[in-house]
Amino acid sequence: MYESLKKIIDDAKKIVFFGGAGVSTESGIPDFRSETGLYNAQQNYGMSPEEMLDIGFFESSPVTFYDYYKKNLIAADAQPNAAHKALARLEEQGKLTAVVTQNIDGLHQKAGSRNVYELHGSVLRNRCKWCGKSFSLDYIMDEANCRNGVPYCPCGGIIKPEVVLYGEMLDEDCINGAVKAISEADVLIVGGTSLVVYPAAGFVRYFRGDKLVVINKSSTGIDSEADLVIHDPIGQVLGSCVL
């Protein structure tokens, strides 16, 4: 199977990678829905992650939101793994035209990828709800800038992560860029995602190219449509197939 993937990559002219949380688990960042993911982890909040990561909950209960958010979604020390690095190499080689990711950790850019569509935003970007000023992750994690763990702008406004919460719309420019890249690709590699989160998961339907590849430890809803399916860790696969 690895040799088949190498041939697909060698023959490709425009590869797009569409990825999810499984891409970053090898960097020590938990996913949501696996046995060890955030949805199944024992928490002391009495609510599901979906409830706490909702825009309405952020607005009504910012103290609890930020307590959960900082403890569970921030991995400031995480480093890119073999998958992130392989994708950056493919872009450098002129093979890969875009990464479309559901992840919010910024590891693709940290590995060197430049054309990245972050469908769900990024923990690295934060913005004041009042004046619109931007802030770094370091700023919102510094307790000197917080009250009860909630970061505030010098203007007095609460700061919100530029992460798409439940109940919020995806960024239109990001959607358009991702759809255009996928629709123009001759190879689409889907990796580290179970394709259950919509609308992001529906983006793969825009692919009209030659080869569809799925790399995921568990089965996905498009396995039967793929030209190649590999159920191995994505870092192991891409790290072996991209030199």
Side-chain angles (χ1 to χ4, degrees):
M1 287 187 292
Y2 286 22
E3 288 302 319
S4 297
L5 178 57
K6 287 179 182 178
K7 179 169 178 25
I8 288 173
I9 291 172
D10 286 344
D11 293 344
K13 292 181 173 58
K14 288 186 176 181
I15 301 172
V16 167
F17 178 81
F18 181 94
V23 177
S24 292
T25 53
E26 291 170 67
S27 294
I29 298 177
D31 62 10
F32 271 74
R33 291 173 176 78
S34 71
E35 291 182 10
T36 57
L38 294 180
Y39 276 89
N40 294 313
Q42 293 298 314
Q43 304 292 345
N44 299 316
Y45 297 92
M47 292 169 285
S48 71
E50 279 182 324
E51 291 175 288
M52 289 183 285
L53 297 176
D54 183 89
I55 183 59
F57 189 81
F58 167 81
E59 292 172 345
S60 65
S61 306
V63 173
T64 304
F65 169 87
Y66 264 110
D67 185 65
Y68 180 82
Y69 176 81
K70 289 181 178 181
K71 289 177 179 176
N72 292 278
L73 273 76
I74 304 298
D77 296 329
Q79 297 298 318
N81 61 52
H84 300 106
K85 294 173 183 177
L87 292 167
R89 288 197 298 275
L90 279 178
E91 183 179 12
E92 188 176 333
Q93 294 165 11
K95 286 279 188 180
L96 185 136
T97 59
V99 170
V100 180
T101 181
Q102 300 172 80
N103 295 342
I104 57 175
D105 50 48
L107 290 181
H108 284 293
Q109 292 93 328
K110 199 169 186 177
S113 291
R114 295 179 297 277
N115 195 27
V116 181
Y117 295 99
E118 296 172 304
L119 298 178
H120 297 152
S122 173
V123 299
L124 303 181
R125 300 189 299 272
N126 306 273
R127 190 174 297 277
C128 174
K129 294 279 286 181
W130 283 5
C131 73
K133 184 177 180 180
S134 296
F135 294 91
S136 67
L137 178 60
D138 287 341
Y139 183 94
I140 72 160
M141 295 300 287
D142 187 343
E143 285 303 309
N145 304 316
C146 301
R147 298 198 295 272
N148 295 320
V150 179
Y152 284 86
C153 175
C155 80
I158 189 172
I159 297 171
K160 178 189 176 294
E162 288 195 12
V163 170
V164 180
L165 302 177
Y166 291 101
E168 291 190 296
M169 301 290 289
L170 302 187
D171 179 79
E172 187 173 348
D173 289 340
C174 184
I175 291 174
N176 291 339
V179 168
K180 185 174 187 293
I182 291 170
S183 65
E184 293 177 351
D186 59 357
V187 172
L188 177 64
I189 301 176
V190 177
T193 175
S194 52
L195 294 175
V196 297
V197 177
Y198 283 83
F203 282 37
V204 299
R205 299 300 175 190
Y206 290 95
F207 178 62
R208 296 291 183 269
D210 297 327
K211 299 292 183 182
L212 174 62
V213 177
V214 176
I215 307 169
N216 198 53
K217 289 200 280 188
S218 59
S219 298
T220 76
I222 63 168
D223 283 10
S224 61
E225 304 169 39
D227 298 282
L228 178 65
V229 178
I230 302 176
H231 291 309
D232 288 338
I234 190 164
Q236 172 184 312
V237 177
L238 291 181
S240 300
C241 295
V242 180
L243 303 178

